[in-house]
Amino acid sequence: MKSKGSKKVGAGAGGGKGNGKNRRNPSINDDSFFSHKKRRKMEEDEDIDDEIADSDEEDGDFDDGPVGEAEVTEFDRETPGEKRQRMAKAYLDKFRDIVKKENQEDDGEDEESDKEGLRDSLVSKYLMQEQLEESGRVRRLIASRVEKPATSEQFNVLVKHKQSVTAVSLSDDDLKGFSASKDGTILQWDVNGGKGEKYTWPSEEILRSHGTRDPQGRATKQSKQVLALAVSSDGRYLASGGLDRHVHLWDTRTRQHVQAFPGHQGPVSCLTFRQGTCELFSGSFDRTIKIWNTEDRAYISTLFGHQSEVLTIDCLRKERVLTVGRDRTMQLFKIPEESRIVFRAPASSLECCYFISNDEYITGSDDGSIELWSMLRKKPIYIVKNAHSLTSSSNLYQEECAKLANGHIENGEVSLDNYKSSSAHSWVGSVTVCRGSDLAASGAGNGCVRLWTIGSETKDIQSLFDLPLVGFVNSLAFAKSGKFIVAGVGQEPRLGRWGRLRAATNGVSIHALKLS
């Protein structure tokens, strides 16, 4: 009996064939882990069913609830390719509607198929023309369509600053604008309403955490004076630079400081974004141009070549940077090729520059001249002398200015009585071009902003008319459509105190332009 009992116990403990087989299934089913998982899954399913039932009850209170929910889930499930396809179809439908409205009366007797075929061909022409204009291969003829404003139509002040405005920039949609002044104030304003919002500088501790370094030399405190602004193509970032030798990055949605880029050994005098990218270029009094990546918040490289301070910088979609400096040169940096082209200016110093296209450029100098350049020549192909002349009479911009700025006298002999461009009031401090067009503008301190026509075939610059504006025009910006121009005005020049106009209003002014 003992032996049988012991054998039975041993078989049970050792898991014999017969008894082990009978006990295997109950042990798995009765295991707490598996039973807990199954119970937890059932509870989650019940919770999901309850949530669905609650959402159905909530949607029942609204008539269009299920439709809106279906649209959201449909967009959420879209792949990037499907999203691009949907946006392209919407873009084409918009152009089809425009063409349909234009040709609604002419195509009244044609068949529907002929209408659609003609409409699609016109849409393709529109798209081809727009692509050529965006790439700079075709120049929009806007200057001939600008109507001369009446004497009652003048610049209107949008926002005011305490000190001279040094920089003005517009977003790509032409709805928002940004301005900075010598007192360190940065304002964001609405183009239509003029409502301004101030950017607040953070504390010194926050600036150090964002990357700023201690002041160098004799300075004991960082200067907040801003000399340059640039806004990214997507309107997300705003870059500022000034006497503190840092490039500061701001978030335009929250107007908060997000990053500071150290590295320059002199004041940051100019900034620009490459179109359609997050690459930022900064020029400085230390004679260098630095490249930054705003998305990664990182430094990329440094460009060398200027022998004096870099004053102005500009860039289009290509990886080419145009700069001017006090070394009497304008330089075009080809970044992928790691090369540069040096253009020699006959003026004493080039103050500003701007891209007309990938192969043509316009500059303004401190002797009152405006130069037109081509990549095929290292000297100006056309010069407008005495572009912003000063007259001895009190009325600066009606009689004598009209005689001088006609495209003929400036390029001929100018008498010493009328040629007074050695004064700081006649220095061309800013130039701008309506992107992809033949319309240009220049500003100085002689009491007017002058509009110009750039000849695409004649390769010359002809004066259109003047827009009266008292003060030093330190920065200019055209709307993409060419329907208005914005000017940053101050009582003093942008980079110094060589002159002063007490009658000027420190602020941003706007002037509407009517197109025929």
Side-chain angles (χ1 to χ4, degrees), residues 51-63 65:
E51 292 176 0
I52 294 174
D54 294 338
S55 62
D56 291 340
E57 291 176 0
E58 292 177 358
D59 293 338
D61 297 336
F62 303 93
D63 294 336

Side-chain angles (χ1 to χ4, degrees), residues 322-335:
L322 187 69
T323 60
V324 296
R326 287 213 173 100
D327 54 0
R328 299 188 183 184
T329 65
M330 177 181 68
Q331 302 192 18
L332 179 67
F333 292 88
K334 299 181 179 180
I335 299 174

Side-chain angles (χ1 to χ4, degrees), residues 355-373:
F355 269 105
I356 302 173
S357 64
N358 289 320
D359 300 327
E360 290 184 348
Y361 330 105
I362 187 172
T363 59
S365 59
D366 63 358
D367 68 346
S369 300
I370 295 177
E371 298 86 13
L372 179 65
W373 305 77

Side-chain angles (χ1 to χ4, degrees), residues 163 166 181-184 223-227 241-244 494:
Q163 296 186 19
T166 56
S181 64
K182 289 185 176 181
D183 61 356
S223 174
K224 294 297 188 298
Q225 181 173 336
V226 181
L227 299 178
L243 297 184
D244 65 347
R494 181 173 77 101

Side-chain angles (χ1 to χ4, degrees), residues 388 424-430 442-449 469 471-474:
H388 287 267
H425 296 76
S426 61
W427 294 357
V428 181
S430 58
S442 62
N446 69 324
C448 66
V449 173
L469 183 60
F472 287 94
V473 182
N474 296 323

Side-chain angles (χ1 to χ4, degrees), residues 270-401:
C270 48
L271 293 165
T272 186
F273 276 93
R274 185 160 75 93
Q275 291 182 4
T277 67
C278 56
E279 286 188 12
L280 174 65
F281 299 89
S282 62
S284 171
F285 280 15
D286 62 2
R287 303 174 292 177
T288 65
I289 298 100
K290 293 187 182 294
I291 310 175
W292 315 89
N293 189 307
T294 58
E295 197 67 33
D296 299 336
R297 318 278 174 87
Y299 160 79
I300 298 178
S301 64
T302 302
L303 305 177
F304 300 91
H306 278 283
Q307 303 301 316
S308 187
E309 296 96 337
V310 180
L311 301 181
T312 314
I313 191 170
D314 193 24
C315 183
L316 292 179
R317 193 169 295 272
K318 284 187 175 182
E319 289 189 83
R320 294 182 178 181
V321 183
L322 187 69
T323 60
V324 296
R326 287 213 173 100
D327 54 0
R328 299 188 183 184
T329 65
M330 177 181 68
Q331 302 192 18
L332 179 67
F333 292 88
K334 299 181 179 180
I335 299 174
E337 295 87 348
E338 296 184 355
S339 62
R340 61 189 175 98
I341 301 176
V342 181
F343 301 88
R344 304 289 177 181
S348 58
S349 176
L350 294 176
E351 293 290 322
C352 48
C353 65
Y354 210 85
F355 269 105
I356 302 173
S357 64
N358 289 320
D359 300 327
E360 290 184 348
Y361 330 105
I362 187 172
T363 59
S365 59
D366 63 358
D367 68 346
S369 300
I370 295 177
E371 298 86 13
L372 179 65
W373 305 77
S374 174
M375 195 173 65
L376 302 178
R377 289 185 60 184
K378 293 187 177 182
K379 292 183 178 181
I381 59 177
Y382 195 84
I383 300 177
V384 179
K385 295 182 179 179
N386 207 26
H388 287 267
S389 61
L390 270 179
T391 58
S392 58
S393 62
S394 59
N395 196 344
L396 297 177
Y397 39 78
Q398 286 187 0
E399 298 181 359
E400 297 191 25
C401 284

Side-chain angles (χ1 to χ4, degrees), residues 119-343:
R119 198 177 301 148
D120 291 340
S121 63
L122 291 175
V123 168
S124 63
K125 290 181 180 179
Y126 271 109
L127 294 176
M128 289 274 295
Q129 183 71 16
E130 185 177 353
Q131 194 275 333
L132 291 173
E133 291 175 356
E134 287 289 335
S135 61
R137 298 178 182 178
V138 174
R139 188 173 298 173
R140 293 182 295 163
L141 302 179
I142 294 181
S144 59
R145 297 168 51 199
V146 179
E147 298 179 359
K148 186 174 182 178
T151 54
S152 60
E153 298 178 1
Q154 296 182 355
F155 274 95
N156 297 320
V157 179
L158 273 179
V159 292
K160 293 183 179 181
H161 286 263
K162 293 182 180 180
Q163 296 186 19
S164 298
V165 175
T166 56
V168 167
S169 183
L170 289 174
S171 60
D172 267 18
D173 55 5
D174 294 334
L175 297 178
K176 293 186 299 183
F178 307 88
S179 58
S181 64
K182 289 185 176 181
D183 61 356
T185 304
I186 301 175
L187 293 180
Q188 175 180 324
W189 32 268
D190 185 10
V191 172
N192 297 323
K195 181 180 179 182
E197 297 174 335
K198 185 178 179 180
Y199 281 62
T200 304
W201 286 92
S203 63
E204 294 295 334
E205 295 180 358
I206 297 178
L207 285 175
R208 288 194 189 94
S209 65
H210 289 176
T212 58
R213 296 177 181 174
D214 294 333
Q216 299 179 5
R218 298 180 180 179
T220 58
K221 188 178 180 181
Q222 295 283 10
S223 174
K224 294 297 188 298
Q225 181 173 336
V226 181
L227 299 178
L229 285 180
V231 61
S232 59
S233 299
D234 57 0
R236 182 180 177 184
Y237 293 115
L238 175 70
S240 67
L243 297 184
D244 65 347
R245 307 180 182 184
H246 288 77
V247 177
H248 297 276
L249 197 64
W250 305 79
D251 192 335
T252 58
R253 297 167 296 183
T254 60
R255 300 188 303 278
Q256 297 294 323
H257 188 277
V258 294
Q259 187 67 35
F261 297 123
H264 280 294
Q265 302 301 315
V268 178
S269 56
C270 48
L271 293 165
T272 186
F273 276 93
R274 185 160 75 93
Q275 291 182 4
T277 67
C278 56
E279 286 188 12
L280 174 65
F281 299 89
S282 62
S284 171
F285 280 15
D286 62 2
R287 303 174 292 177
T288 65
I289 298 100
K290 293 187 182 294
I291 310 175
W292 315 89
N293 189 307
T294 58
E295 197 67 33
D296 299 336
R297 318 278 174 87
Y299 160 79
I300 298 178
S301 64
T302 302
L303 305 177
F304 300 91
H306 278 283
Q307 303 301 316
S308 187
E309 296 96 337
V310 180
L311 301 181
T312 314
I313 191 170
D314 193 24
C315 183
L316 292 179
R317 193 169 295 272
K318 284 187 175 182
E319 289 189 83
R320 294 182 178 181
V321 183
L322 187 69
T323 60
V324 296
R326 287 213 173 100
D327 54 0
R328 299 188 183 184
T329 65
M330 177 181 68
Q331 302 192 18
L332 179 67
F333 292 88
K334 299 181 179 180
I335 299 174
E337 295 87 348
E338 296 184 355
S339 62
R340 61 189 175 98
I341 301 176
V342 181
F343 301 88

